[in-house]
Amino acid sequence: MDVIKKAKGVEEYIIKCRRDLHQIPELGLNLPKTSAYVASEIRSMSIEFRENVAGSGVVGLIKGSKDGKTIALRADMDALPIKEETGLSFASQNDNMHACGHDAHTAILLGVAKVLSENKDEIYGNVKLIFQPAEESPGGAKPMLEAGAFENPKVDAVLGLHVGNLINTVTKNGSIGVCYSNMMACLDSFKVKLIGKGCHGAYPQSGVDPVVVVSHYLTVIQTIISRELAGTDSAVITVGKINGGQAYNIIPNSVELEGTVRAVDQNIREYIARRLEEIAKDLSKTMRGTCEFSYNFGYPPLVNDEEFTKYFVESAKKIVPREDIIELKKPSMGGEDFSYYLKQVPGTFIFMDTPMAIDGHVYPNHNPKFAIDESQLFKGAALLIQGALDYLE
Ligand SMILES: [Zn+2]
Ligand SMILES: [Zn+2]
């Protein structure tokens, strides 16, 4: 199959879908308009599918005419609670925005579905189309898997991509970033309530000041990174929220804080979680207070399969020039729930650079002026098609 030609053939269709979806962005697990759009498109292609998988998920199945394995191709469909400011003619019609490009992912996978459903005689085995909700929050991949998205037939490998401008080293439109192992971090959160004893600000001896406890806690937990991990190991601890106190001259009863942990290695992730709790408990005890601690293990680190990625890169060379395939040597500290699929089966996740300037400036993913160079989208479809066909063959 001349994959580039076939993908070019559905380029207009992909752009149309992307613009339709861009105007109706929805959030989380419940995406009624978006999933109805996807279902109606793949129904018109006579692809068998399941709806309402883990909320608004849609799982399509294209059976090739020859026996073989099953590969899953994944697109996320959800948007962000951001008011769009691009001024584009097809801008969002509500208060949400596809500011992470998931509209493009969904449109690309619809284009892939169109090409593959019309060329079943060239497919060995099956291609599963995974349209999932809630990648941004609270997570759609895990419930999709729990709802059997990778069963009947059992999925052997998975492939997915992300558009935008996510990695600084990938700067040319249409170039792709590939990574042979740990590519993205976990996405965890933690909450601490440091409890003291409230009193008059002039008489601290009559209480226990949790504001002072929190000030120590903030600096001590950063030494987990700087003193307890090797300099070559990457992890981030960020406290993004602190709440406590009512007046300048009152020592409050308690202070609450919330933060996030990003680590690309599972052992380091678990180590940090344990140390955040130990320090909270021991420090508050030392300073005569108590604490409540909770840690939420969110999306795991995203780890690509080395062998699969090597094969995929050979497929990608048929679609994009060799110099446009860039190996990402350093992981991104962002999180992605594609990681759950990669914990089940081998596969790979790639970045595709699609920057487009608004008012002369290229804005990052999650910005109200984030925009996509639509002329690159057919390449995304071509990469998924070529990757899938080559794997199955
Ligand atoms: Zn995002
Ligand atoms: Zn995203």
Side-chain angles (χ1 to χ4, degrees), residues 80 100 102 135-136 162 366:
L80 288 156
C100 202
H102 299 182
E135 192 286 321
E136 298 290 356
H162 206 302
H366 290 212

Side-chain angles (χ1 to χ4, degrees), residues 153-224:
K154 212 166 170 45
V155 169
D156 299 295
V158 65
L159 180 57
L161 60 77
H162 206 302
V163 300
N165 37 324
L166 290 165
I167 293 273
N168 293 334
T169 50
V170 184
T171 50
K172 190 178 145 207
N173 292 33
S175 55
I176 61 168
V178 300
C179 173
Y180 293 91
S181 60
N182 298 49
M183 183 183 191
M184 297 179 79
C186 67
L187 206 164
D188 296 349
S189 60
F190 64 100
K191 276 188 195 178
V192 189
K193 185 174 186 181
L194 296 162
I195 304 160
K197 191 175 151 208
C199 64
H200 195 302
Y203 312 106
Q205 72 279 14
S206 59
V208 175
D209 188 350
V211 174
V212 180
V213 181
V214 82
S215 68
H216 284 282
Y217 186 69
L218 290 177
T219 50
V220 174
I221 60 175
Q222 290 304 333
T223 67
I224 300 173

Side-chain angles (χ1 to χ4, degrees), residues 15 18-25 83-94 96-101 103-104 354-363 367-375 377:
I15 293 172
R18 188 254 160 166
R19 292 185 176 192
D20 288 345
L21 293 166
H22 193 81
Q23 295 176 54
I24 53 163
K83 182 96 180 116
E84 181 160 354
E85 294 173 15
T86 60
L88 292 166
S89 62
F90 54 88
S92 169
Q93 292 173 359
N94 60 39
N96 305 321
M97 179 188 174
H98 270 294
C100 202
D103 51 343
T354 56
M356 191 185 103
I358 293 287
D359 307 333
H361 189 83
V362 171
Y363 293 89
N367 186 286
K369 291 188 177 179
F370 172 74
I372 288 171
D373 175 5
E374 292 176 324
S375 72
L377 299 185

